[in-house]
Amino acid sequence: MGLFKKEKDYFFSSFYELALFSKDAIDKLSDFLLNFDKTKLYEKKEEIHAIEHNADIKKHEIEERLAKEFITPIDREDIFLLLDKIDDLTDSIDEISYKLYLRNYEELPSNISIFINKSKEAVYALLEILKNMDKISSKKTMDPLLNKVIEVEEEVDREYEINVKNLYDSIKDDNKPLSLWKDEKVYSYFEYVTDKCRDVVKEVQIIMYKNL
């Protein structure tokens, strides 16, 4: 029983620890973009990619231990899948800094803070879910936490629709389409981050219903 509790604590806490890399990445990215300086695009890309790389190392470490364990608190496959979904989230944040650098952004849409802050909110809400994975069999505990991420993701979907529509409604000359396309891409990057948060939620929901 003591051994099972030890492994249960390790694997449940590992989800939270892996997601902390997502938090670190979104924190660094949001600080940079809310005080945007185009001369630091490469520097920030490298800093955020270093976080993503360390997340990969941590994920590999957890998977190596999982491969050796006889007893796991939930299905082994579910652990692998949830680790993958969390890793995808960190990758999606890393992708933003990479694409901004690659496409040499010199300025951001004036209302980008809405997307930045909502994405950060989704990541933080997700951390609360993963912090409580030891209560995965309690629907009463998990449902409000899961619903919070879903609500934020839906808010970002609505913001994306409104803002992209406004962008293309504003076209008045032939010189704007490229800049509008770049603005739309920035919105889509953050919408994708919240989609990845929801993907983690879906995986947690599957685990929850298998363990009720």
Side-chain angles (χ1 to χ4, degrees), residues 56-69:
D56 284 344
I57 293 172
K58 179 65 177 177
K59 178 173 177 281
H60 180 70
E61 173 190 308
I62 299 166
E63 289 174 339
E64 284 290 300
R65 180 159 174 175
L66 179 61
K68 297 173 184 176
E69 294 301 333

Side-chain angles (χ1 to χ4, degrees), residues 65-146:
R65 180 159 174 175
L66 179 61
K68 297 173 184 176
E69 294 301 333
F70 178 70
I71 300 173
T72 57
I74 56 177
D75 288 350
R76 193 178 302 271
E77 180 184 7
D78 289 332
I79 295 174
F80 270 116
L81 290 173
L82 184 52
L83 292 173
D84 275 345
K85 297 299 184 184
I86 298 169
D87 185 60
D88 287 345
L89 171 59
T90 308
D91 288 346
S92 71
I93 299 168
D94 178 45
E95 185 78 359
I96 296 176
S97 61
Y98 174 70
K99 289 293 179 61
L100 292 176
Y101 166 74
L102 198 65
R103 292 179 172 138
N104 195 29
Y105 275 76
E106 296 189 351
E107 60 181 352
L108 301 174
S110 59
N111 56 349
I112 193 61
S113 62
I114 298 170
F115 291 87
I116 295 169
N117 292 331
K118 282 296 177 183
S119 296
K120 189 172 180 178
E121 184 180 356
V123 172
Y124 274 65
L126 190 63
L127 279 175
E128 287 302 309
I129 295 170
L130 299 174
K131 189 188 293 184
N132 286 278
M133 283 297 290
D134 60 333
K135 303 178 183 68
I136 191 64
S137 59
S138 171
K139 198 169 183 296
K140 182 178 178 181
T141 300
M142 299 303 290
D143 272 351
L145 301 175
L146 295 164

